[in-house]
């Protein structure tokens, strides 16, 4: 699958040309990857070592056994010297004869992290200072016959930026920069570098400030003319037609009389439009307009097929195919609806005219060492969103503009992307050269991503606006010196209200721009009637979990709750028995919220559950607690539609093994939360809750048409037997939160103690598809869970086993694991067993039946 995906996306040169034109054409642009023969060294020392490109210095040191695994136990601490050194990377290359003959030869770095001087045959050809930009330079007249030497000198980002900090009379806020862990005391210098913020540490991440050629580097060579850029602009899209303008940039090295540029749909094998133009030397902008009648629309996960067109653009000169580019794209209209209504302003996404309730999570980079994230890891990350019924991921501003593959996968699987620009929880020196650098970064990335149908929004930053108004930043500067306050605020407005929106408007005019997340109004903090909201009163604000039920927002773009990874994962980074305590030195090094965060977990846990008996049980219960919390929030947000139209929890993933708000740990293992979220995000949600003494049951439908079915409510004794039951057959309104049942809890319970029952709500579609949910009328520690015995039978099936479990009494949060086999994946886990109602789950495993039986462990909460 990945191979196919990759080849779909490659710029089609010779192969495509030969298919279309029946012969191989030597005129096409050529490309040579420079990923071989690299070596590296510490600039002031002399020994060279083999290097991997793309890569970063930390992983090269690791591969050469010069450092220990940075993620293991306390190793991060001993590696802080690396970012204070300069590093040199070097390779040699020889151009093929064919390439050598071309008129135009460029060297392209898709990413340099970060302060780099590039030398070709000892001449400096490039100076780079932004890891988010693409760096390209013409090298034709600097090439030698035979072997050429390419050298990249990386300056220490610390040595470059500390003097900038020292020179200022004021400091830029950077609340998550762990300068003290890097030995820099209070010098928070991350704001000066256009480099991923999380490299400098975050409240879930280590401080490992990398350097390196982190994305592909290659040489491209061409003659006469070539396609330089391509924008499939969707000017108007509806079910009847799509008005498309292909905006193509052709670079020519001379005047060319007759150049034909055409766009074809390769799936249909049909030309859609063409233009013949005269090309001038330099960049030529050409438009190819066409209309697609009754277009096959692109839909997000859950709403329909994410259909992708394959559009091929050909450049033909004198009957010769000069260049060809295939651009997969989805045709859709997608906009942010932000309009006044009786409560404030709406905030929702409308896809092809349909209001979409956004279900999903916030996404951070998958590793501190970005180039080692494989395509398989990317695919699993996106599929884990699809499998849990998400339709949106927010790429958060303290990381990176993701690799193409991320967006390709989101296109393919129907995951909408909320794209932050890379600024988070900080203030920046946004003026002069620095701001111009940002403008180029924005242009590079908006251009690169604008053909992806998944992109739903460009957002200025993460939390910078709220921090200014609500975290006391503005007041702090005003008190220090009003001139500082004014200067920084002007920089802020220039960046987020002028430069970034200008770039979006110019390069992706149909896309929406939102100044910050969260954001309500200019000149103020976020609120719950307008815009999006980051809700952290549960967790950071220590409010009880049930507060999720009453807090409102038009769109929750963040909320979250922490847990530790499961025991099998903990053993990978903290394998020694002395580590197995949440306050051990090693576990604390992998808890960046510090003792405060551990304290929060403990106090929430003890207010909901009874005290765990040991470390392992603590990890298990912490995960169930996190799952309960996020389930509560998602259900509340969905019940509140259409007032609320989005629920993105914090966070989908981790960048190293750590206690965090993540739903899946660094190794990709699902926490209880991910299972719970998957159920709470299904297209129908049945959600029972006691409100003002009444048991209410809502059925929330994200479907586009009404649904017929039956709601059943059962009050089930924990020891078996039904106390009371209700049934209602009805028609559910489409795209709506439907309150279907509301009866006094006392009448429902018929005198049975709350502690002795579980309330089971089920919705069954007319065609039999079932949705269920359990509701507990009191807190978990108050429940009278009876002792029970969980029986299971195991059946071998393809790629693993099927396990059927039954329990004579109710069993809460049944947890299945395989001792010392962390990679088995259970299709369901941490689920409840109703008395005598079997549940079957599948697990992938290559263990023998005997081994599997022996190592399978079944636990539940008592
Ligand atoms: C949010 C994020 C992150 C942070 C998280 C947890 O506000 O934007 O900056 O990691 O909270 O504190």
């Amino acid at each position: 699958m990945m191979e196919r995906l990759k080849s779909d996306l490659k710029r089609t040169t010779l192969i495509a040309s030969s298919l279309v034109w029946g012969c191989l054409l030597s005129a096409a642009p050529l490309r040579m990857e420079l990923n071989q023969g690299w070596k590296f060294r510490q600039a002031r020392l002399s020994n060279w070592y083999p290097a991997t490109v793309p890569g970063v210095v930390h992983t090269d040191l690791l591969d050469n056994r010069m450092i220990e695994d940075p993620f293991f136990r306390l190793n991060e601490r001993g590696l802080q010297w690396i970012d204070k050194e300069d590093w040199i990377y070097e390779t040699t290359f020889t151009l093929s004869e064919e390439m050598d003959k071309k008129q135009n030869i460029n060297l392209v770095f898709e990413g340099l992290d970060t302060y780099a001087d590039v030398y070709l045959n000892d001449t400096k050809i490039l100076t780079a200072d932004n890891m988010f930009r693409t760096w390209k330079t013409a090298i034709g007249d600097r090439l030698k016959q035979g072997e050429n030497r390419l050298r990249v000198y990386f300056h220490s980002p610390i040595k470059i930026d500390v003097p900038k900090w020292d020179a200022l009379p004021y400091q830029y806020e950077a609340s998550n920069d762990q300068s003290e862990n890097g030995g820099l005391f209070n010098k928070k210098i991350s704001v000066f570098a256009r480099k991923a913020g999380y490299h400098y540490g975050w409240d879930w991440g280590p401080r490992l400030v990398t350097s390196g050629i982190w994305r592909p580097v290659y040489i491209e060579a061409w003659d006469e003319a070539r396609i330089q850029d391509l924008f499939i602009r969707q000017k108007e899209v509806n079910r009847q037609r799509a008005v498309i303008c292909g905006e193509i940039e052709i670079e020519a090295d001379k005047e060319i009389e007759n150049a034909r540029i055409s766009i074809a749909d390769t799936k249909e094998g049909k030309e859609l439009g063409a233009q013949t133009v005269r090309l001038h030397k330099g960049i030529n902008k050409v438009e190819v307009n066409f209309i697609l009648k009754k277009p096959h629309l692109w839909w997000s996960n859950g709403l329909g097929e994410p259909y992708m067109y394959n559009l091929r653009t050909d450049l033909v000169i004198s009957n010769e195919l000069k260049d060809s580019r295939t651009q997969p794209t989805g045709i859709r209209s997608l906009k942010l609806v932000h309009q006044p209504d009786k409560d404030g302003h709406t905030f929702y996404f409308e896809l092809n005219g349909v209001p979409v309730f956004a279900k999903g999570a916030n996404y951070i980079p998958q590793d501190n060492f970005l180039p080692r994230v494989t395509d398989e890891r990317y695919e699993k990350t996106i599929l884990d969103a699809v499998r849990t019924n998400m339709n949106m991921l927010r790429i958060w501003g303290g990381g990176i503009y993701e690799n193409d593959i991320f967006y390709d996968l989101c296109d393919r699987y129907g995951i909408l992307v909320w794209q932050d620009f890379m600024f988070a929880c900080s203030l920046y020196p946004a003026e002069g050269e620095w701001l111009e650098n940002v403008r180029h970064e924005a242009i590079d990335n908006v251009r690169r991503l604008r053909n992806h149908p998944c992109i739903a929004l460009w957002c200025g930053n993460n939390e910078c606006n709220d921090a200014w108004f609500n975290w006391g930043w503005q007041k702090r500067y005003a008190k220090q010196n009003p001139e500082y306050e004014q200067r920084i605020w002007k920089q802020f407005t220039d960046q987020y209200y002028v430069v970034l929106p200008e770039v979006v408007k110019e390069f992706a005019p149909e896309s929406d721009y939102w100044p910050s997340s969260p954001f309500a109004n200019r000149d103020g903090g976020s609120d719950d009637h307008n815009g999006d909201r980051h809700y952290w009163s549960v967790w950071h604000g220590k409010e009880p979990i049930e507060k999720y039920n009453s807090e409102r927002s038009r769109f929750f773009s963040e909320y979250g709750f922490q847990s530790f990874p499961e025991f099998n994962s903990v053993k990978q980074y903290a394998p020694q028995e002395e580590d197995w305590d949440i306050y051990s030195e090693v576990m604390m090094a992998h808890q960046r919220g510090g003792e405060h965060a551990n304290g929060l977990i403990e106090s929430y846990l003890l207010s909901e559950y009874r005290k765990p008996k040991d470390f392992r049980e603590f990890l298990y219960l912490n995960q169930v607690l996190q799952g309960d919390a996020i389930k509560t929030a998602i259900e509340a947000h969905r019940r509140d539609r259409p007032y609320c139209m989005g629920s993105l929890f914090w966070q989908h993933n981790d960048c190293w093994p750590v206690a965090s708000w993540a739903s899946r740990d660094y190794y990709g293992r699902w926490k209880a939360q991910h299972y719970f979220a998957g159920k709470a995000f299904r297209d129908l949600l049945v959600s029972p809750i006691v409100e003002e003494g009444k048991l209410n049951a809502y059925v929330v439908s994200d479907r586009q048409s009404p649904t017929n079915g039956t709601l059943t409510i059962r009050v089930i004794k924990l020891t078996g037997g039904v106390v009371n039951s209700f049934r209602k057959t009805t028609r559910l309104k489409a795209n709506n939160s439907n309150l279907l049942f509301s009866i006094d809890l006392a009448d429902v319970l018929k005198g049975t103690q709350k502690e002795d029952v579980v309330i089971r709500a089920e919705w069954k579609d007319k065609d039999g598809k079932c949705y269920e949910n359990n509701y507990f009328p009191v807190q978990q520690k108050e429940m009278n869970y009876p002792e029970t015995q969980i029986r299971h039978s195991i059946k071998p099936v393809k790629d693993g086993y099927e396990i059927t479990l039954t329990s004579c009494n109710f069993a809460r949060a049944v947890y299945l694991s395989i001792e010392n086999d962390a990679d088995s994946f259970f299709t369901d886990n941490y689920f409840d067993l109703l008395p005598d109602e079997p549940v079957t789950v599948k697990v992938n495993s290559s263990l023998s039946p005997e081994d599997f039986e022996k190592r399978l462990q079944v636990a539940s909460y008592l």
Side-chain angles (χ1 to χ4, degrees), residues 182-384:
L184 298 188
F185 308 99
N186 63 341
K187 298 187 180 182
K188 296 186 187 296
I189 56 167
S190 53
V191 299
F192 298 106
R194 289 314 297 139
K195 175 167 170 58
Y198 82 109
H199 285 166
Y200 297 81
W202 213 266
D203 58 2
W204 36 256
R207 183 176 176 98
L208 292 162
V209 187
T210 52
S211 284
I213 304 167
W214 74 290
R215 277 182 169 158
V217 45
Y218 56 89
I219 294 176
E220 57 178 24
W222 57 281
D223 270 332
E224 278 186 80
R226 60 148 191 175
I227 300 169
Q228 139 96 11
D229 195 19
L230 173 65
F231 178 25
I232 303 292
R233 189 166 165 198
Q234 307 185 16
K235 289 190 152 173
E236 178 199 326
V237 175
N238 54 49
R239 283 165 207 259
Q240 264 57 53
R241 62 178 205 161
V243 179
I244 309 289
C245 174
E247 296 183 358
I248 301 130
E249 279 188 17
I250 310 277
E251 190 176 4
D253 61 10
K254 58 178 185 202
E255 295 278 311
I256 296 171
E257 203 46 61
N258 274 315
R260 187 174 191 273
I261 297 110
S262 61
I263 299 185
D265 174 350
T266 63
K267 285 191 180 168
E268 294 285 316
K270 169 165 117 190
E271 185 169 289
L272 300 168
Q275 249 317 345
T276 301
V277 295
R278 183 191 166 89
L279 296 176
H280 305 286
K281 189 172 174 189
I283 300 285
N284 298 261
K285 295 192 177 174
V286 181
E287 286 189 2
V288 175
N289 292 292
F290 57 92
I291 288 180
L292 291 170
K293 286 204 186 115
K294 294 217 179 336
H296 204 143
L297 297 175
W298 183 92
W299 290 97
S300 60
N301 184 31
L303 288 186
E305 185 197 358
Y307 182 83
M308 294 293 285
Y309 282 82
N310 228 14
L311 300 181
R312 199 194 60 230
T313 303
D314 288 342
L315 166 65
V316 175
I317 297 169
S318 313
N319 278 331
E320 196 179 30
L321 180 64
K322 271 287 168 194
D323 199 359
S324 176
R325 219 190 247 208
T326 300
Q327 177 64 60
T329 198
I331 303 294
R332 89 290 183 258
S333 74
L334 180 54
K335 60 176 185 217
L336 173 67
V337 182
H338 180 235
Q339 273 167 0
D341 68 2
K342 66 175 178 22
D343 302 299
H345 279 84
T346 61
F347 188 100
Y348 66 88
F349 294 93
E350 194 184 87
L351 176 62
N352 302 320
V354 172
V356 180
F357 189 100
K359 300 181 284 194
N362 286 271
Y363 168 89
I364 63 168
Q366 293 176 60
D367 208 299
N368 267 78
F369 310 121
L370 292 158
R372 74 175 177 185
V373 183
T374 59
D375 289 355
E376 287 66 32
R377 258 168 87 187
Y378 271 105
E379 183 158 42
K380 178 170 160 36
T381 299
I382 301 303
L383 279 177
D384 281 353

Side-chain angles (χ1 to χ4, degrees), residues 685-705:
L685 166 73
V686 46
S687 180
I689 180 171
V690 172
E691 293 172 315
E692 290 164 9
K694 283 192 172 350
L695 175 66
N696 292 337
Y698 297 77
V699 182
V700 183
S701 171
D702 289 350
R703 294 182 185 165
Q704 297 310 301
S705 50

Side-chain angles (χ1 to χ4, degrees), residues 202-205 536 538-542 560-564 582-583 587-606 618 622 625-626 651 658-661:
W202 213 266
D203 58 2
W204 36 256
W536 284 104
V538 175
W539 185 259
H540 289 304
K542 301 184 185 172
F561 199 97
Q562 271 205 5
S563 80
F564 283 85
I582 62 163
Y583 290 101
M587 292 303 281
M588 285 303 292
H590 293 253
Q591 163 54 290
R592 306 314 275 239
E595 291 194 3
H596 168 73
N598 274 1
L600 282 176
I601 296 177
E602 282 183 321
S603 65
Y604 275 111
L605 191 85
L606 293 181
F618 182 91
N622 178 196
L625 172 74
Q626 182 198 25
Q651 66 208 69
V658 65
S660 80
W661 302 265

Side-chain angles (χ1 to χ4, degrees), residues 377-395:
R377 258 168 87 187
Y378 271 105
E379 183 158 42
K380 178 170 160 36
T381 299
I382 301 303
L383 279 177
D384 281 353
V386 176
R387 288 183 189 120
T388 40
N389 303 305
M390 296 186 189
N391 58 19
M392 181 176 270
L393 289 170
R394 169 172 174 246
I395 300 188

